[in-house]
Amino acid sequence: MLGNSYEGQVCSAARALEVVGERWSLLIIRDALFGGVTRFSDFARCLGLARNILAARLDGFVEAGIMERFLPEGAAYQEYRLTRKGRDLAPVIIALTDWGDRWAAPNGRPVIYRHAECGGDVEQQLVCRACGMAIEPDQVDIELGPGMTGAAW
Amino acid sequence: MLGNSYEGQVCSAARALEVVGERWSLLIIRDALFGGVTRFSDFARCLGLARNILAARLDGFVEAGIMERFLPEGAAYQEYRLTRKGRDLAPVIIALTDWGDRWAAPNGRPVIYRHAECGGDVEQQLVCRACGMAIEPDQVDIELGPGMTGAAW
DNA sequence: CGCGACTGGTTGCATCATGCGACCATTGAA
DNA sequence: TTCAATGGTCGCATGATGCAACCAGTCGCG
């Protein structure tokens, strides 16, 4: 989005950015995923964004199916919860964080992701499904798949 | 960026988004990384974005150190090339693409990432550096690290 | 019950980012 | 020489974002 779309692009990354590419979107999802934030006012406080923008983003997330509104039984204030589709964005946020840690964190990592079971550092890897090897980013090629229409991306 | 910053956020994901979070930024980098696009007019044509915006993005990338301007010897038109810092964004783009493939590609994947050596599918995994296990997104916890200042993210 | 604080918004206005089309100097090819 | 492409810049219109004010309903406290 960012208010609009990337129409000309036949590309899943563009489709994803239409949903979560606007300003604040990924930070809202980060807080929901890893900070356990669920309520309107808590998002506004944590992030310091304007409340009308927050309302617009949350509406968009609900409409896109990455969050759902939920009223805990008995009472009073509603929660915004990530759906499976929303939680599936975790790798995106972790990839951004990894990059920021490496290239924009002179004082060390502010936040560390840990394996809940054993407490170890979480690392993101590209793996080849065929040969099982770990892959460096420059060993990745692209190929057009069945969802491609027309000639261009 | 998106024209401005996420000042209140002490978070590497926010730092990363300040560099590549603006509209079109990640698509430009995607084309540079996987499409081999290097020239101003080619970016403009592939993406269909306004040329003044493209100029602003490329300037920003050069300033941020994720691209560099390069004049091939002998002649005439310049190229924009990703630096190491820029190529390191590949996992972000692959993560976005994976998500888009899963949740927003009803006709199948338009673009497939392949291991250059063996041609196998590239898959992104979270791995525990301590125990070596593959980790599901909901098994990830966070911990504050040395770069954290103050109490909040 | 009364009161103040908090929640979950909405509205209007100002400002910044983005998009569009016109323009321009230089290079290259016919 | 002429025509098209490159790599931009400029000005204006429109859209997105940010800010402050406002509001109804709820909660906790005395």
Side-chain angles (χ1 to χ4, degrees):
Chain A
M1 296 198 196
L2 292 136
N4 32 27
S5 63
Y6 299 102
E7 289 177 32
Q9 303 297 303
V10 184
C11 164
S12 293
R15 295 288 83 69
L17 287 170
E18 288 174 345
V19 179
V20 296
E22 289 173 302
R23 182 150 157 82
W24 297 111
S25 289
L26 283 169
L27 295 182
I28 294 168
I29 292 166
R30 176 207 63 175
D31 280 5
L33 257 174
F34 299 113
V37 177
T38 59
R39 288 180 25 187
F40 185 93
S41 291
D42 291 335
F43 285 113
R45 221 188 331 268
C46 287
L47 293 167
L49 85 170
R51 306 157 65 83
N52 51 347
I53 306 301
L54 176 59
R57 292 292 174 279
L58 293 173
D59 284 353
F61 291 166
V62 171
E63 196 177 345
I66 69 180
M67 279 192 170
E68 54 193 2
R69 266 180 265 263
F70 178 77
L71 192 65
E73 55 174 317
Y77 297 127
Q78 72 182 333
E79 299 184 352
Y80 287 91
R81 293 189 178 180
L82 290 166
T83 61
R84 180 81 210 290
K85 186 174 177 183
R87 284 192 299 274
D88 255 11
L89 286 161
V92 174
I93 295 178
I94 292 174
L96 280 166
T97 306
D98 276 358
W99 188 89
D101 284 341
R102 180 160 4 201
W103 295 102
N107 304 318
R109 295 180 286 173
V111 171
I112 299 170
Y113 295 109
R114 296 211 172 278
H115 185 195
E117 279 184 33
C118 80
D121 261 30
V122 173
E123 185 181 28
Q124 204 171 30
Q125 282 186 348
L126 300 177
V127 178
C128 177
R129 201 169 286 162
C131 72
M133 280 179 56
I135 302 175
E136 292 302 304
D138 49 6
Q139 295 175 311
V140 177
D141 284 343
I142 62 167
E143 177 186 318
L144 302 187
M148 175 57 65
T149 63
W153 294 20
Chain B
M1 297 196 195
L2 290 136
N4 32 26
S5 62
Y6 300 101
E7 289 177 31
Q9 303 296 305
V10 184
C11 164
S12 292
R15 296 289 83 70
L17 287 170
E18 287 174 346
V19 179
V20 296
E22 289 173 303
R23 181 152 157 83
W24 297 110
S25 289
L26 283 170
L27 294 183
I28 293 169
I29 293 166
R30 176 208 62 175
D31 280 5
L33 257 175
F34 299 112
V37 177
T38 59
R39 287 179 27 186
F40 186 92
S41 291
D42 291 335
F43 284 113
R45 221 188 331 270
C46 288
L47 293 166
L49 85 171
R51 304 157 68 81
N52 52 347
I53 305 299
L54 176 60
R57 292 290 173 281
L58 292 172
D59 284 352
F61 291 165
V62 170
E63 196 178 344
I66 69 179
M67 279 191 168
E68 55 192 2
R69 265 179 267 263
F70 179 78
L71 192 64
E73 58 174 316
Y77 298 126
Q78 70 181 335
E79 299 185 352
Y80 287 91
R81 292 188 177 181
L82 289 166
T83 61
R84 181 81 211 291
K85 187 174 176 182
R87 285 191 299 275
D88 256 10
L89 285 162
V92 174
I93 295 177
I94 293 173
L96 279 166
T97 305
D98 276 358
W99 188 88
D101 285 340
R102 178 160 5 198
W103 293 103
N107 304 319
R109 296 180 287 174
V111 171
I112 299 171
Y113 295 110
R114 295 212 172 277
H115 186 195
E117 280 184 34
C118 79
D121 261 31
V122 173
E123 184 182 29
Q124 205 170 31
Q125 283 185 348
L126 300 177
V127 179
C128 178
R129 202 169 286 162
C131 72
M133 279 178 55
I135 303 176
E136 292 301 305
D138 50 6
Q139 296 176 311
V140 176
D141 284 343
I142 62 167
E143 177 186 321
L144 302 187
M148 175 56 65
T149 62
W153 292 22

